[in-house]
Amino acid sequence: MNNKIPNRIGLLTSGGDAPGMNAAVRAIVRTALTQGIEPFAIYEGFQGMVDGGDKIRAINWDGVGGILHRGGTVIGTARCDDFMTREGRLIAAKNLLENEIDKLVIIGGDGSLTGAHILHQEWTGLLSELVSTNKISADIANRHQSLLITGLVGSIDNDMFGTDMTIGADSALHRITEAVDSISSTAASHQRTFVVKVMGRNCGYLALMGALATGADWVLIPERPPDSDNWEELMCKRLIAGRKAGRRDSIVILAEGAQDRHGNYIGSSYVSKILEECMGEEVRVTVLGHVQRGGSPSAFDRNLGTLLGHAAIETILSSSHDSEPQLIGLRGNRITKLPLVDCVAKTKAVSKAISDHDYEQALSLRGSSFEEAFTTLKTILRTLPHPPSPGQRRHRIAIMHSGAPSPGMNTAVRAAVRIGLDQGHIMLGVQNGFRGLISGSISELDWMSVNGWASLGGSELGTNRHVPSGSDLYQIAKNIELFNIHGILLIGGWSGYESAFRMHTERTNYPAFNIPIVCLPATINNNLPGSELSVGADTALNNIVDAVDKIKQSAVASRRCFLVEVMGRKCGYLALMSGLATGAERVYLNEEGVTLKDLQADVNMLITGFKSGKRLGLLIRNEHANEVYQTNFMCTLFEEEGGDLFDVRQSILGHLQQGGNPSPFDRIQATRLAASSIGYLIQQLDNSTNNSAFMGLQGKEIMFHNLEDFPRMVIRDKQRPKEQWWLALRPIAKLLAQPVPGYSTMDQEPQK
Ligand code: ADP
């Protein structure tokens, strides 16, 4: 008799499907295989667990190949009433035991995770009942006395405690912003009003962030119902005033769970009727519905699913047999785990607070960034700023860019201008980066001058990489005095940071430079110190991932390897993260360098792969991975060595990476960072201090670093920070894309 206890894990997706679930499935299966655990897919969620039979099947490395870009879930999901009963769960337990599965990873919403928790609690009881009724042998029961569970939140609603982001929420926001951007352009042409209803059940995240990202004019969410009973009147007054101030369209975003402060449901037809009466024009309603769930997952959701899936297996490996179920989540850019039961309880507490009309509690349970976003939104969607208070010191704050254009720059300017004006200050726009500061192309920006900038790619103020030196500095000092500039917000990349630092070090020579300067990170390269993510990097990543998806599709019926070159200067962020999101089997980074030995090993890897049936190869190379072994060289080398076995094509993505409208994440981040930077400048000026800083996100927090620390925190000749958090993800990218011997033949989807 074979006494070896099988080491098996069951994985299932349950409840509403969400883009990014497939990335999690792939990561769970592949990480399990590399750790010697046999993964079993449980098809159609808990229903498959109850049905058993061929709904529970072993799944191998190739079974999860070529699924990263697909929406939904390839292992199916369902809602299952049987599982709500103990009898149903008894059958489910029997099916698990028959397959010798005593570990589960469940990807679903709070309902599914509640179900998982209940199964865990009942496990011992279910086991004894199954033994006493002879449904399973005592031997099997003895082998699997405990059930280990980890949960990942797959839900577009982002409604779960224990993670900043749920798998699918970012993709849903992509769909919402695309839709609202399109609606805005037609609405503006006809001067129309639109009500756009978005999903989210009783969570207002999608509506709130959708409004923040698109520059909508009004938002209604469950956690923060309108303050007054005559909210309809107030909404109408605001929208009419907006039109008078020059807005050509009016967009109201309505969360599906929106209610008034007495708990009465607010429906889209009601809002539309009210608006038609007060605006005296036809109002169109768009219910976005399942479009929000569909489509290819965003780069963020692919990587989130991948990292959480990988962490789920690691968590199971480090658990003891009596470990409580854990929820794997994300805080900032770090993976966290918390007891699942607490997360479910806290999530339910928000729903309860809403149904008890305790909105303050509901809002605070959603967390500080949700509240902060609501406050910012309330300011920037005003029709006009609050007038300055009598006797207030009005500061003159200049806003400018420096560096290559980065999507989200305009969004940041819009937020900064409106927040500054609303607090009574004078906002100045500098055209064309440092060249404009040198030539004096500086003018006042008013409230409506930044209208519509939330969703606009490129850089309306203009930007370039000029770093001032010599007589430039004298001109800048002169203009600072001439235009009476009290502080500067610099939204840009490396050249901006270098220039600001130069001005800072020249303070003794140029007294005019004794003003506070804040550098807000905005570059697709994500190569700035003091910020884990810079504005624009997420958009570029999505641009790359879209392009690579298309490139992969173009390889029909051929054995082909693509070598894709991406931007980033000497920072490999875009290369690594796009490699992770597209399943590239090799990523070349300047941080690691490339040697001839590496290239030889890669040739061998490709030959072995294609010989054993692989049809498609994908390699991603940072533009400066190695100055000698350039993309063209590598391509020719691989092509020559591939002989008749495979051919190689290179694709240098170029400027498409910088273009397009900013992604929702970049818009939200740009708004958040701009609000914080303006706050910092105003505080310095109110206190008559002149500290200068560079700032950004670190974990979940926004941090400011003294500008003097710039040289200490960077490798200057490589133009990147000394600390790069994402380098820690390299082993995961490698592990998931390069097949484990004996488990796989190919990574990419077989071509038909
Ligand atoms: P989501 O997981 O997206 O919140 P649902 O709330 O519909 O979706 O839950 C999905 C499935 O999880 C349900 O159909 C059911 O099988 C199971 N489930 C939900 N709540 C429970 C519960 N309280 N007890 C047992 N199973 C549950």
Side-chain angles (χ1 to χ4, degrees):
M1 200 177 106
N2 179 8
N3 281 331
K4 194 163 175 280
I5 303 174
N7 189 4
R8 292 181 175 166
I9 188 162
L11 70 124
L12 62 110
T13 48
S14 170
D17 65 314
M21 280 181 161
N22 286 330
V25 167
R26 173 178 175 271
I28 292 162
V29 168
R30 293 188 171 181
T31 311
L33 286 171
T34 57
Q35 298 292 347
I37 304 175
E38 288 176 79
F40 277 66
I42 302 173
Y43 292 84
E44 321 304 336
F46 287 125
Q47 192 61 54
M49 204 187 273
V50 174
D51 293 347
D54 71 351
K55 292 279 176 63
I56 306 181
R57 300 199 297 273
I59 185 162
N60 65 14
W61 191 279
D62 297 343
V64 291
I67 62 171
L68 275 174
H69 65 286
R70 291 212 211 153
T73 159
V74 292
I75 59 170
T77 182
R79 297 217 149 84
C80 172
D81 291 337
D82 293 339
F83 199 80
M84 304 288 278
T85 66
R86 191 173 183 283
E87 301 87 80
R89 294 191 290 273
L90 188 69
I91 304 171
K94 176 172 158 286
N95 288 328
L96 291 180
L97 288 163
E98 279 177 352
N99 285 287
E100 305 234 21
I101 295 170
D102 57 9
K103 300 174 199 67
L104 287 175
V105 182
I106 293 169
I107 312 165
D110 62 336
S112 308
L113 298 176
T114 304
H117 173 64
I118 293 171
L119 181 68
H120 178 264
Q121 279 182 320
E122 291 175 350
W123 188 251
T124 314
L126 296 174
L127 235 64
S128 344
E129 190 174 332
L130 288 169
V131 173
S132 63
T133 53
N134 291 326
K135 301 254 172 56
I136 56 157
S137 69
D139 193 27
I140 290 200
N142 280 337
R143 288 163 173 235
H144 306 290
Q145 283 177 6
S146 58
L147 177 69
L148 275 182
I149 291 185
T150 54
L152 311 184
V153 197
S155 161
I156 63 163
D157 303 335
N158 206 25
D159 55 351
M160 188 86 190
F161 184 88
T163 187
D164 291 351
M165 286 298 277
T166 57
I167 299 170
D170 183 64
S171 303
L173 263 183
H174 273 258
R175 303 294 102 79
I176 293 168
T177 45
E178 281 152 20
V180 177
D181 285 354
S182 312
I183 288 170
S184 295
S185 56
T186 158
S189 311
H190 296 274
Q191 302 213 29
R192 265 200 189 125
T193 300
F194 271 81
V195 178
V196 183
K197 185 166 175 174
V198 304
M199 282 182 165
R201 296 197 282 190
N202 60 16
C203 177
Y205 178 85
L206 292 177
L208 175 60
M209 296 304 172
L212 201 62
T214 56
D217 304 273
W218 201 257
V219 67
L220 292 155
I221 56 170
E223 297 87 344
R224 190 67 162 78
D227 292 330
S228 68
D229 282 340
N230 62 347
W231 62 269
E232 295 92 335
E233 209 177 296
L234 185 69
M235 173 178 73
C236 290
K237 239 168 82 184
R238 284 290 183 84
L239 295 190
I240 292 168
R243 284 292 180 78
K244 279 201 185 125
R247 291 186 194 176
R248 289 189 54 85
D249 60 350
S250 314
I251 306 239
V252 175
I253 297 199
L254 175 69
E256 65 178 343
Q259 47 181 270
D260 69 15
R261 64 195 187 109
H262 306 291
N264 300 313
Y265 168 72
I266 302 179
S268 53
S269 33
Y270 178 67
V271 179
S272 134
K273 191 172 125 279
I274 298 289
L275 292 172
E276 271 186 4
E277 280 164 16
C278 73
M279 310 282 292
E281 64 185 33
E282 218 178 316
V283 174
R284 301 289 157 100
V285 175
T286 303
V287 178
L288 290 184
H290 283 77
V291 165
Q292 294 162 89
R293 252 187 219 298
S296 187
S298 66
F300 178 86
D301 274 330
R302 297 181 195 197
N303 288 345
L304 179 66
T306 296
L307 299 181
L308 296 185
H310 175 263
I313 298 294
E314 299 275 301
T315 302
I316 284 195
L317 283 172
S318 62
S319 302
S320 58
H321 69 279
D322 55 355
S323 293
E324 284 295 309
Q326 300 288 312
L327 183 134
I328 315 293
L330 186 80
R331 201 177 151 77
N333 281 313
R334 306 284 179 273
I335 304 292
T336 55
K337 62 182 180 198
L338 289 169
L340 191 142
V341 58
D342 294 352
C343 299
V344 168
K346 291 217 168 89
T347 304
K348 292 199 186 326
V350 188
S351 307
K352 183 164 181 315
I354 293 172
S355 63
D356 291 350
H357 309 175
D358 186 353
Y359 301 113
E360 226 166 89
Q361 168 78 347
L363 199 60
S364 84
L365 283 169
R366 284 274 183 246
S368 56
S369 35
F370 191 96
E371 266 188 282
E372 176 198 298
F374 188 76
T375 314
T376 307
L377 180 73
K378 275 203 315 192
T379 305
I380 54 184
L381 60 65
R382 288 180 62 81
T383 320
L384 286 170
H386 287 103
S389 338
Q392 179 191 353
R393 266 173 76 194
R394 299 186 73 195
H395 308 305
R396 293 171 63 86
I397 300 173
I399 303 181
M400 62 182 292
H401 300 306
S402 174
S406 189
M409 279 179 156
N410 291 326
T411 323
V413 176
R414 168 181 179 264
V417 167
R418 291 202 166 170
I419 290 163
L421 289 174
D422 191 56
Q423 296 192 28
H425 304 292
I426 296 155
M427 307 306 285
L428 304 165
V430 180
Q431 298 287 326
N432 227 356
F434 277 93
R435 290 193 197 284
L437 197 57
I438 294 161
S439 66
S441 312
I442 301 163
S443 52
E444 244 187 87
L445 295 170
D446 65 19
W447 195 265
M448 289 306 286
S449 64
V450 291
N451 197 37
W453 286 22
S455 53
L456 222 52
S459 149
E460 290 296 297
L461 282 180
T463 184
N464 58 63
R465 290 215 184 88
H466 182 74
V467 177
S469 59
S471 63
D472 294 345
L473 296 174
Y474 169 75
Q475 286 298 333
I476 291 175
K478 218 175 83 184
N479 284 330
I480 288 178
E481 280 169 0
L482 188 66
F483 289 89
N484 194 14
I485 295 171
H486 301 161
I488 297 178
L489 171 61
L490 198 151
I491 300 164
W494 190 271
S495 59
Y497 281 51
E498 280 284 6
S499 309
F501 181 69
R502 187 163 295 173
M503 283 173 66
H504 193 73
T505 51
E506 294 281 351
R507 277 183 169 189
T508 44
N509 295 332
Y510 300 93
F513 293 170
N514 280 300
I515 56 170
I517 304 177
V518 171
C519 300
L520 185 159
T523 164
I524 68 162
N525 301 335
N526 199 29
N527 63 340
L528 296 168
S531 187
E532 292 179 1
L533 290 169
S534 55
V535 173
D538 183 62
T539 310
L541 195 55
N542 279 293
N543 289 344
I544 296 170
V545 168
D546 284 350
V548 172
D549 283 352
K550 289 186 183 125
I551 290 170
K552 278 166 70 171
Q553 277 172 358
S554 75
V556 180
S558 59
R559 280 184 297 200
R560 180 163 287 176
C561 179
F562 288 102
L563 178 59
V564 179
E565 181 187 299
V566 302
M567 285 181 165
R569 299 182 82 89
K570 288 183 178 159
C571 167
Y573 176 80
L574 290 177
L576 183 72
M577 297 311 263
S578 62
L580 201 59
T582 54
E585 49 254 71
R586 181 75 161 90
V587 176
Y588 299 97
L589 310 176
N590 180 280
E591 285 84 349
E592 292 177 329
V594 187
T595 64
L596 196 56
K597 214 164 128 204
D598 293 336
L599 296 177
Q600 179 66 61
D602 295 340
V603 165
N604 292 342
M605 171 192 81
L606 290 172
I607 290 175
T608 314
F610 280 104
K611 268 192 181 154
S612 52
K614 175 190 182 76
R615 308 287 277 267
L616 183 63
L618 175 65
L619 316 170
I620 295 190
R621 182 186 181 281
N622 159 271
E623 59 184 343
H624 293 294
N626 184 304
E627 301 303 353
V628 178
Y629 304 143
Q630 302 241 347
T631 303
N632 197 22
F633 168 82
M634 285 170 58
C635 187
T636 319
L637 176 81
F638 293 149
E639 173 82 16
E640 174 65 16
E641 295 293 318
D644 292 336
L645 193 56
F646 60 93
D647 57 25
V648 185
R649 294 285 182 276
Q650 71 173 39
S651 185
I652 297 177
L653 296 186
H655 284 81
L656 75 80
Q657 295 163 83
Q658 281 178 0
N661 291 341
S663 69
F665 178 82
D666 276 333
R667 300 183 197 188
I668 294 163
Q669 198 203 357
T671 306
R672 245 189 110 190
L673 297 186
S676 206
S677 301
I678 289 295
Y680 180 95
L681 284 171
I682 293 174
Q683 194 190 26
Q684 292 294 321
L685 295 168
D686 282 347
N687 296 339
S688 302
T689 48
N690 57 12
N691 293 327
S692 289
F694 52 95
M695 56 94 64
L697 278 181
Q698 281 185 303
K700 233 178 122 61
E701 309 304 324
I702 295 179
M703 309 272 278
F704 286 80
H705 289 268
N706 198 322
L707 194 53
E708 277 157 24
D709 290 336
F710 174 68
R712 270 199 289 282
M713 288 175 69
V714 298
I715 308 173
R716 225 150 161 187
D717 60 336
K718 306 251 184 203
Q719 299 198 353
R720 65 176 182 240
K722 282 185 184 152
E723 304 253 339
Q724 301 193 102
W725 63 273
W726 49 268
L727 283 172
L729 307 180
R730 281 175 300 171
I732 302 176
K734 198 164 171 185
L735 181 149
L736 297 179
Q738 293 190 5
V740 180
Y743 282 118
S744 163
T745 51
M746 63 191 112
D747 180 54
Q748 312 294 344
E749 192 171 26
Q751 299 295 321
K752 297 179 185 81

